[in-house]
Amino acid sequence: MATLVLHHQTSPAQDAEALHQAFKGWGSDGKAIIAILGHRNVHQRQEIRKAYEEIYQENLIKRLESEISGDFERAVYRWMLEPADRDAVLINVAIKNGPKEYHVIAEISSVLSAKELLAVRSAYHDRYKRSMEEDVAAHTTGHLRQLLVGLVSSYRYEGDEINVKLAQTEANILHESIKEKKANHEEVIRILTTRSKTQLVATFNRYRDEHGISITKKLVDQSSDDFVKVLHTVIRCINDPKKYYEKVLRNAIKKFGTDEDGLTRVIVTRAEKDLKDIKEIYYKRNSVHLEDDVSKEISGDYKKFILTLLGKQD
Amino acid sequence: MATLVLHHQTSPAQDAEALHQAFKGWGSDGKAIIAILGHRNVHQRQEIRKAYEEIYQENLIKRLESEISGDFERAVYRWMLEPADRDAVLINVAIKNGPKEYHVIAEISSVLSAKELLAVRSAYHDRYKRSMEEDVAAHTTGHLRQLLVGLVSSYRYEGDEINVKLAQTEANILHESIKEKKANHEEVIRILTTRSKTQLVATFNRYRDEHGISITKKLVDQSSDDFVKVLHTVIRCINDPKKYYEKVLRNAIKKFGTDEDGLTRVIVTRAEKDLKDIKEIYYKRNSVHLEDDVSKEISGDYKKFILTLLGKQD
């Protein structure tokens, strides 16, 4: 379930006017911006963008970027984009930032459905005039390229059929590959980028039954090069995306120096989907409410905005 | 331009009844089948399938399969499928038939637009309950796998921007790879599976300007293993699909023993698109009309059907 709390909206035009008002004078009224945009769903936000453009002949997102700054700006910017367009931006930024961010590419392409991922690829065309796989491939080499290109190009079957024998065979292939360390990358890539998620979960379960340890735990023991890190993300995202997101949030908050990008990414992309469930998993795991942990780590309008998306009522 | 000649259709139901009539008695009336189905467009054929199923509670395609046989059956069967579904079948058959047919996978995935290829992937899900890349990957290994999976998973950018500097760089990479024979497969695969077709044509032109020979001619000189054969098909299909199809037809007809599968594939898939242009190229290249060459090589109802799709009027 979502955390986003919708407030009554009179009209997109009235929201646009209120935002325009908030931009007036020296410095912007962050509170007003949050009071409006933090309580509108994806459809309403796009309508506000349109209304603002019509009334003021100005791009609302560009205006927001010039009015606010820092983490608050980045969060509002991502929030204002349509989901597929936002994911296209997140992947493009990750490609440019290099290997330490490749888990974001793996996360997005493993969590989305086949249709959603395709919408991201289409949004990427529109925005960057290149294909997503083209940019990924041009920035990587070897097995890491093969894995990442396979992930962003995947169009997985989504039926719920499970081939039990295949799960057994491929659990063995994965086990052999991981055991030998110099993993048989090609087969691991083939299995993880082409099989249906339902089939993969069956394979991961078979792995645990057979070897008494989950495949992700086994991978953590391995030398953690970039390839293994991406692999790890893929398996976690396919196995249990909500649990995966909880861990991203936990790491973002608890590690030395808050990881605002990770925090913003999860909250902005999940607020209209399943952030409520992720919050519950967070509480179960940490015995602290996510809002309380977040409150201690960040500040200002950024904090107010993130807490609003987390469902906090004034 | 298309070659298909449409005749007046009273109603899909009347067509269904006429077909049912043609199936009666010992052996089918091939002439009647051709007179109807050989003059109906893709939309009408699907309506006839629906009408037949409604009236006779029987699948028309299955009935056709039991009524007719051999090359005629195969051609009518392919003709009755929707284009995306037909391509899914053609790719599935090619996967099963192994390396000698992999050029069909390359042909379909290189000729289609990004949207059309996606429709084939979706049809493949519906029909086989697996993804296309999953089956391709499970039947291949190494660089051939990487190339074929990259092709069937591609979603190329389709704008007409050309990056001249990139065309130069990548023409050089292709040249170096081909020259060294033990080609730098990875880079060749990256370029051919991810760049836009417009960009690739610019790269191929740059190659010819620089080296005084087309890249396809250069490739023919190479030892022709399966990988190079697929590469060759991709480059030809992107460079000039109509010219490519002309050559498939020429080889199908002129080589010892007619290649009915190749002949049927090109005629059935292009009859509603650009078969007229392909016929003209054929005449220019061979100084014989395609119909005349076809007439000499095949016979019976199969011949009548193929000539009908080629636009021959009774």
Side-chain angles (χ1 to χ4, degrees):
Chain A
M1 274 183 55
T3 53
L4 180 67
V5 180
L6 295 183
H7 284 178
H8 172 73
Q9 182 196 43
T10 312
S11 76
Q14 207 165 75
D15 280 348
E17 282 159 28
L19 285 168
H20 195 249
Q21 197 59 37
F23 297 153
K24 279 199 176 142
W26 236 69
S28 272
D29 185 353
K31 214 177 148 188
I33 294 173
I34 295 168
I36 300 165
L37 298 178
H39 296 288
R40 298 290 182 271
N41 68 26
V42 58
H43 176 67
Q44 294 171 321
R45 299 195 300 275
Q46 301 314 311
E47 294 224 301
I48 296 171
R49 277 174 72 175
K50 244 188 276 167
Y52 190 93
E53 178 109 35
E54 272 166 29
I55 302 173
Y56 303 107
Q57 267 84 53
E58 188 185 43
N59 183 309
L60 173 59
I61 293 191
K62 288 221 174 98
R63 181 67 191 257
L64 280 164
E65 284 182 303
S66 76
E67 289 290 337
I68 57 182
S69 63
D71 294 321
F72 181 44
E73 175 200 330
R74 249 196 312 278
V76 170
Y77 174 76
R78 285 170 182 20
W79 180 241
M80 289 304 290
L81 300 177
E82 285 179 286
D85 193 25
R86 177 201 302 144
D87 284 336
V89 169
L90 288 170
I91 287 185
N92 182 261
V93 170
I95 294 170
K96 285 198 219 139
N97 285 346
K100 68 180 189 306
E101 297 265 316
Y102 287 168
H103 65 278
V104 176
I105 304 174
E107 169 190 304
I108 293 171
S109 48
S110 304
V111 167
L112 297 184
S113 72
K115 279 238 165 72
E116 287 168 336
L117 180 56
L118 191 82
V120 178
R121 292 173 85 181
S122 173
Y124 201 99
H125 281 193
D126 293 342
R127 186 175 269 272
Y128 300 108
K129 310 295 170 202
R130 289 186 307 273
S131 75
M132 205 153 81
E133 60 271 31
E134 183 173 3
D135 280 355
V136 169
H139 282 77
T140 51
T141 57
H143 286 116
L144 192 56
R145 173 193 284 172
Q146 242 181 292
L147 176 58
L148 288 170
V149 169
L151 289 172
V152 301
S153 309
S154 68
Y155 187 75
R156 296 181 198 270
Y157 175 63
E158 290 178 342
D160 50 13
E161 296 89 344
I162 291 174
N163 181 332
V164 177
K165 221 178 115 195
L166 191 70
Q168 174 70 61
T169 317
E170 299 196 336
N172 288 344
I173 295 177
L174 292 177
H175 183 249
E176 286 304 308
S177 305
I178 294 171
K179 204 178 63 184
E180 289 170 18
K181 301 220 174 175
K182 213 180 127 275
N184 180 351
H185 290 312
E186 295 225 357
E187 282 295 279
V188 173
I189 293 169
R190 174 183 66 75
I191 294 169
L192 290 178
T193 60
T194 70
R195 294 301 185 198
S196 82
K197 292 183 188 174
T198 311
Q199 178 69 31
L200 282 173
V201 170
T203 302
F204 301 152
N205 285 336
R206 203 73 213 89
Y207 186 102
R208 187 166 31 204
D209 291 346
E210 200 99 323
H211 305 290
I213 181 171
S214 79
I215 180 164
T216 41
K217 288 228 175 61
K218 190 78 193 170
L219 273 173
V220 170
D221 297 344
Q222 301 278 320
S223 76
S224 61
D225 64 340
D226 296 327
F227 180 81
V228 174
K229 262 160 61 190
V230 169
L231 220 56
H232 196 250
T233 303
V234 174
I235 297 171
R236 292 186 54 96
C237 287
I238 289 175
N239 234 338
D240 194 337
K242 290 176 194 170
K243 220 171 122 189
Y244 165 83
Y245 283 125
E246 184 280 328
K247 193 167 182 187
V248 175
L249 290 173
R250 176 155 35 103
N251 286 341
I253 293 166
K254 309 239 156 156
K255 279 195 177 165
F256 183 73
T258 315
D259 167 18
E260 283 84 2
D261 280 342
L263 184 66
T264 300
R265 186 177 78 250
V266 176
I267 295 199
V268 164
T269 55
R270 308 315 295 182
E272 284 174 278
K273 292 182 173 163
D274 51 11
L275 192 51
K276 203 164 189 174
D277 309 326
I278 297 166
K279 267 167 64 174
E280 276 165 25
I281 298 170
Y282 190 94
Y283 183 72
K284 234 186 220 162
R285 172 67 179 74
N286 303 287
S287 309
V288 189
H289 290 293
L290 178 58
E291 292 92 323
D292 295 337
D293 268 349
V294 164
S295 292
K296 275 182 263 161
E297 291 298 322
I298 60 178
S299 61
D301 284 337
Y302 176 53
K303 170 174 160 180
K304 279 182 213 145
F305 183 57
I306 292 295
L307 289 177
T308 301
L309 295 189
L310 276 165
K312 191 170 176 283
Q313 293 280 31
D314 308 312
Chain B
M1 276 185 54
T3 51
L4 179 68
V5 179
L6 296 183
H7 286 178
H8 172 73
Q9 182 196 43
T10 312
S11 75
Q14 207 166 74
D15 281 347
E17 282 159 28
L19 286 168
H20 195 248
Q21 197 59 35
F23 297 152
K24 281 200 174 140
W26 236 68
S28 269
D29 184 353
K31 213 177 148 186
I33 294 174
I34 295 168
I36 299 166
L37 297 178
H39 296 287
R40 298 289 183 272
N41 69 26
V42 57
H43 175 69
Q44 293 171 323
R45 300 195 300 276
Q46 300 315 311
E47 295 223 302
I48 296 172
R49 277 174 73 176
K50 244 187 277 169
Y52 190 95
E53 179 109 36
E54 271 166 31
I55 303 172
Y56 303 107
Q57 268 85 54
E58 187 184 44
N59 183 309
L60 173 58
I61 293 191
K62 288 219 173 99
R63 181 66 191 260
L64 280 164
E65 285 183 301
S66 77
E67 289 289 337
I68 57 183
S69 64
D71 295 321
F72 181 43
E73 175 200 330
R74 247 197 314 278
V76 170
Y77 174 76
R78 286 172 181 18
W79 179 243
M80 287 304 290
L81 300 177
E82 286 180 286
D85 193 25
R86 176 201 303 142
D87 285 335
V89 169
L90 288 170
I91 287 184
N92 183 262
V93 170
I95 294 170
K96 284 197 219 139
N97 285 347
K100 70 180 186 307
E101 297 265 316
Y102 287 167
H103 65 279
V104 176
I105 304 175
E107 167 190 306
I108 293 171
S109 48
S110 304
V111 167
L112 296 184
S113 72
K115 280 238 164 72
E116 287 169 336
L117 180 56
L118 190 84
V120 177
R121 293 173 84 180
S122 173
Y124 200 100
H125 281 192
D126 293 342
R127 186 175 270 270
Y128 300 108
K129 310 292 169 206
R130 289 185 307 273
S131 74
M132 205 151 81
E133 59 270 31
E134 182 173 4
D135 280 357
V136 169
H139 283 77
T140 51
T141 57
H143 286 116
L144 192 55
R145 174 194 283 171
Q146 242 180 292
L147 176 59
L148 289 170
V149 169
L151 289 172
V152 301
S153 308
S154 67
Y155 187 75
R156 296 182 199 268
Y157 174 64
E158 290 178 342
D160 50 13
E161 294 90 345
I162 292 173
N163 181 332
V164 176
K165 221 178 115 195
L166 191 70
Q168 175 70 62
T169 317
E170 300 195 336
N172 289 344
I173 295 176
L174 292 177
H175 184 249
E176 286 305 309
S177 304
I178 294 171
K179 205 178 61 183
E180 286 169 21
K181 302 220 173 177
K182 213 178 127 275
N184 180 350
H185 291 312
E186 295 225 356
E187 283 294 279
V188 173
I189 293 169
R190 174 184 65 76
I191 294 169
L192 290 178
T193 60
T194 69
R195 295 301 185 198
S196 82
K197 292 182 188 176
T198 311
Q199 178 68 31
L200 282 173
V201 170
T203 302
F204 302 153
N205 286 336
R206 202 72 213 95
Y207 186 101
R208 186 165 32 202
D209 292 345
E210 200 98 326
H211 305 290
I213 181 172
S214 79
I215 181 164
T216 40
K217 288 228 175 60
K218 191 77 195 172
L219 272 173
V220 170
D221 297 344
Q222 301 279 318
S223 77
S224 62
D225 64 342
D226 297 328
F227 180 81
V228 174
K229 261 160 63 189
V230 169
L231 221 55
H232 197 250
T233 303
V234 174
I235 297 171
R236 292 185 55 95
C237 286
I238 288 175
N239 235 335
D240 193 336
K242 291 176 194 170
K243 220 171 123 189
Y244 164 83
Y245 283 125
E246 184 280 328
K247 193 167 181 186
V248 175
L249 290 173
R250 178 156 33 105
N251 286 341
I253 294 167
K254 309 239 156 157
K255 279 194 178 164
F256 184 75
T258 314
D259 167 19
E260 282 84 2
D261 279 343
L263 184 66
T264 300
R265 186 178 77 251
V266 175
I267 293 195
V268 164
T269 55
R270 308 315 295 185
E272 285 176 279
K273 291 181 174 165
D274 51 11
L275 192 50
K276 203 163 190 177
D277 309 325
I278 298 167
K279 266 167 65 175
E280 277 165 26
I281 297 172
Y282 190 93
Y283 183 71
K284 235 187 221 164
R285 171 69 177 72
N286 304 287
S287 309
V288 188
H289 289 294
L290 177 58
E291 291 92 324
D292 296 336
D293 268 349
V294 164
S295 292
K296 278 182 264 165
E297 292 298 321
I298 61 178
S299 60
D301 285 337
Y302 175 53
K303 170 175 160 179
K304 277 182 214 146
F305 183 56
I306 291 294
L307 288 177
T308 302
L309 294 189
L310 275 165
K312 191 170 176 284
Q313 293 282 31
D314 308 312

